[in-house]
Amino acid sequence: MALTTLRPSSEGDAAPQSKMLLVVAAALVDPNNHVLIARRPAGKNLAGLWEFPGGKVDVGETPEAALVRELREELDIEVCESCLAPFTFASHTYEQFHLLMPLYLCRKWDGDIVAREGQELAWVRASRLGKYPMPPADIPLVPMLRDLLG
């Protein structure tokens, strides 16, 4: 979902700022407190960096519904919205847009995780997430997960 945010200018007129992009992500946590991360495939923006699974929220879609859809599309798993626990969010300005990304914790899903988009997957202890190069918006989420999961 792309939104244009407005801020009053010095004359009191509304002046457009950078486009805001709403994306949603999940910290899938296994019984051993490992977190699933995915490596962005070649050809995509920020290719080679590791991120939490998720994606863009479409117009008319709630963040939770978008995350359920994205996890089905990317990882071939089914997640109930009630199993998504809001945890924290990232807010980061990139050159072309501002990204707002809620992060949900999820410990329960149906199905075996399959990388359906050619991405590499890794189950990582929260204490080791910082060893994986990530997009700038994901980096501030790591200490919070480390504090929660040890």
Side-chain angles (χ1 to χ4, degrees):
M1 166 189 254
L3 302 174
T4 300
T5 57
L6 300 176
R7 180 178 71 179
S9 70
S10 58
E11 292 84 42
D13 297 325
Q17 286 188 314
S18 63
K19 182 169 63 173
M20 184 177 294
L21 182 65
L22 178 60
V23 300
V24 64
L28 296 171
V29 182
D30 75 5
N32 296 315
N33 277 348
H34 291 100
V35 179
L36 184 75
I37 54 175
R39 189 175 218 170
R40 294 185 62 82
K44 282 198 168 186
N45 190 25
L46 303 172
L49 298 181
W50 293 87
E51 65 184 357
F52 302 101
K56 293 178 186 173
V57 177
D58 291 337
V59 174
E61 200 173 34
T62 66
E64 296 82 5
L67 191 51
V68 167
R69 175 184 51 76
E70 288 284 349
L71 293 174
R72 182 182 311 117
E73 292 172 1
E74 289 181 19
L75 302 175
D76 202 27
I77 58 173
E78 292 297 325
V79 175
C80 293
E81 287 187 26
S82 62
C83 293
L84 297 171
F87 179 58
T88 189
F89 70 94
S91 180
H92 183 80
T93 301
Y94 287 97
E95 188 174 322
Q96 299 297 322
F97 58 89
H98 186 86
L99 180 102
L100 182 62
M101 181 172 63
L103 179 70
Y104 291 79
L105 292 176
C106 181
R107 292 181 177 267
K108 184 179 176 190
W109 56 87
D110 289 324
D112 294 325
I113 292 175
V114 176
R116 295 183 70 190
E117 297 180 347
Q119 71 275 43
E120 183 180 346
L121 302 175
W123 286 100
V124 179
R125 286 209 169 282
S127 61
R128 298 195 43 80
L129 284 170
K131 307 252 183 232
Y132 291 78
M134 293 184 160
D138 290 59
I139 293 170
L141 304 173
V142 169
M144 300 192 74
L145 284 166
R146 189 174 49 235
D147 289 349
L148 177 72
L149 301 172

